[in-house]
Amino acid sequence: MAGLTFNIVVSIILLPVNLCCSFWVFREVLNLAEITFREFLSLPHPSFGSGRFSLKRRQKYILRFFKGKSSQPQKSKKLLKLYGISTLPGLAALVLAGYGAVSNHPDKVSNILIGNLVLILINIGLVFAGRIYRKNHPLDKKTVEILEAKRIREKEKGGESRKKNIIVYAIVGAFFMTVLIGFHLGMADVFSNLQTISGREELAGVQNISFNDVNTVLLEKGFETANIPTTYWFYDENKLTNVAAGSKDSSKFEFYEYIDGETVEGVYNSISYDISQDVNINERAEHETNLASGGRMFTVTQNGVCYFVLYKNNTVIYAHSPKASNKIHEVLTQIGYLP
């Protein structure tokens, strides 16, 4: 949950970060119109109401405004379109945060992490693009003088009020971000609880073997079960509820029971990759079998030892034995994993 929380917070923070990194595009539009940002905000704007059509009317108004004010209307039009495109990563960041809050995909944390890294790289690219653009498209001396004079007047006129405005904007922005983060984390917590309850209800209606049953079968087969350490207990440990393990001669059997079935495929994949690092990714399918009762089994033989990884419902099994031994197959058959 900590990894999910961190990535959701990062996704939401990337919204204002993107607005800052892309603002240079809009500032270039303002420069071509020879007006400052504060001047643009202070201009009287008609009321557009709310809704999709009001947004289109607002966009048309802004296009007409800069078309009339800009020294290069066509260039301003292109820059406004570019500004709209450059703010899409901010929208994508919100979508990522929403995905993290409501998705039940087992790899959603890594997916959000990758998405955040991509958005960070895009925003860094926007910053460098702004520097390159300003270097290749410098303002003429007259425009620079006009804008500089306006900024000096604005600074002299609103020195104290400017500081107060910055403080107010910072407080409002912090409040808005806190609400966004709280909303998404709250949604993530609600959906996580719903998925856990759903998983428990689903498992309650499934005929499922317990770790006590496995322990009994291991004892019947002559396995030593007292104080046997498990190899992969740390995978999704927060959802691991029970384990059973046994060893006999050169064979070992480990049974992991989880709180629900959401995590088992990820654990299965992690273990199977760990024991078969030398197996080509294109050849992995040859080592996998779909179980008749649901779930999958991965087997691989290395140096005369046969390794098994299986999952079904809310359980995962890891085992190994000499290639010529049938001990593991016998246990898997008796507990209902294999026919």
Side-chain angles (χ1 to χ4, degrees):
M1 187 64 182
L4 177 62
T5 300
F6 172 78
N7 280 286
I8 288 177
V9 172
V10 170
S11 294
I12 294 172
I13 292 175
L14 282 174
L15 171 61
V17 168
N18 171 250
L19 294 178
C20 292
C21 292
S22 61
F23 183 72
W24 68 266
V25 185
F26 188 68
R27 187 169 55 212
E28 292 300 322
V29 178
L30 294 172
N31 290 341
L32 290 175
E34 296 182 351
I35 59 175
T36 65
F37 184 61
R38 290 188 66 187
E39 187 179 1
F40 175 75
L41 292 178
S42 64
L43 292 172
H45 298 286
S47 176
F48 300 100
S50 60
R52 181 165 58 91
F53 293 106
S54 65
L55 178 62
K56 289 185 176 181
R57 287 195 293 268
R58 185 179 290 106
Q59 290 172 342
K60 289 181 180 179
Y61 169 79
I62 292 175
L63 282 173
R64 287 198 302 270
F65 174 81
F66 283 110
K67 184 178 180 180
K69 288 280 187 178
S70 177
S71 59
Q72 301 181 55
Q74 289 303 314
K75 187 175 182 180
S76 294
K77 183 178 179 180
K78 291 179 180 178
L79 284 170
L80 284 171
K81 288 182 178 179
L82 178 61
Y83 179 62
I85 295 171
S86 66
T87 57
L88 289 178
L91 176 62
L94 275 184
V95 172
L96 266 181
Y99 164 76
V102 304
S103 174
N104 62 354
H105 195 283
D107 297 325
K108 69 177 180 180
V109 174
S110 58
N111 291 341
I112 301 173
L113 175 62
I114 293 171
N116 284 337
L117 291 174
V118 171
L119 292 178
I120 290 171
L121 291 175
I122 290 174
N123 284 315
I124 292 174
L126 283 171
V127 172
F128 280 102
R131 292 181 179 179
I132 294 170
Y133 182 90
R134 286 190 294 271
K135 183 178 180 180
N136 295 332
H137 301 83
L139 295 173
D140 60 83
K141 186 176 180 181
K142 180 182 177 182
T143 301
V144 172
E145 291 174 351
I146 292 173
L147 291 172
E148 188 62 30
K150 287 185 177 182
R151 292 191 180 102
I152 292 172
R153 287 197 299 270
E154 288 173 353
K155 189 175 182 179
E156 292 174 349
K157 185 178 179 181
E160 284 300 318
S161 62
R162 184 169 179 268
K163 293 179 181 179
K164 291 179 181 179
N165 287 340
I166 291 174
I167 295 172
V168 171
Y169 293 151
I171 293 173
V172 172
F175 174 76
F176 177 70
M177 292 296 294
T178 302
V179 170
L180 266 181
I181 291 172
F183 173 77
H184 283 83
L185 293 181
M187 288 289 289
D189 188 53
V190 168
F191 273 83
S192 177
N193 289 334
L194 288 175
Q195 289 159 15
T196 300
I197 293 171
S198 175
R200 287 174 176 171
E201 290 176 346
E202 180 183 342
L203 290 170
V206 176
Q207 187 67 29
N208 202 36
I209 192 165
S210 72
F211 76 103
N212 285 321
D213 298 325
V214 173
N215 196 64
T216 300
V217 171
L218 289 173
L219 287 172
E220 290 176 356
K221 296 294 182 182
F223 282 75
E224 175 62 43
T225 61
N227 300 319
I228 303 298
T230 53
T231 310
Y232 295 104
W233 55 269
F234 51 87
Y235 286 142
D236 275 342
E237 183 185 3
N238 60 321
K239 288 191 174 184
L240 183 63
T241 57
N242 296 296
V243 297
S247 64
K248 182 179 180 182
D249 300 328
S250 298
S251 299
K252 190 176 182 183
F253 191 97
E254 300 178 14
F255 176 87
Y256 301 86
E257 185 177 353
Y258 293 87
I259 196 170
D260 56 41
E262 298 293 335
T263 194
V264 293
E265 187 173 3
V267 175
Y268 162 85
N269 287 329
S270 296
I271 297 175
S272 60
Y273 277 115
D274 184 64
I275 66 174
S276 61
Q277 296 179 15
D278 294 332
V279 176
N280 188 291
I281 191 168
N282 297 321
E283 299 175 354
R284 290 188 58 80
E286 300 174 8
H287 296 269
E288 285 192 299
T289 306
N290 291 323
L291 300 177
S293 56
R296 282 187 292 170
M297 176 173 69
F298 179 89
T299 58
V300 64
T301 301
Q302 297 175 337
N303 300 320
V305 178
C306 189
Y307 295 87
F308 303 80
V309 189
L310 306 89
Y311 82 89
K312 183 176 72 170
N313 298 335
N314 65 323
T315 62
V316 175
I317 290 173
Y318 163 69
H320 62 80
S321 67
K323 185 178 179 181
S325 174
N326 291 322
K327 291 184 178 67
I328 302 302
H329 276 95
E330 291 173 359
V331 175
L332 290 173
T333 300
Q334 191 159 340
I335 65 176
Y337 265 79
L338 297 179

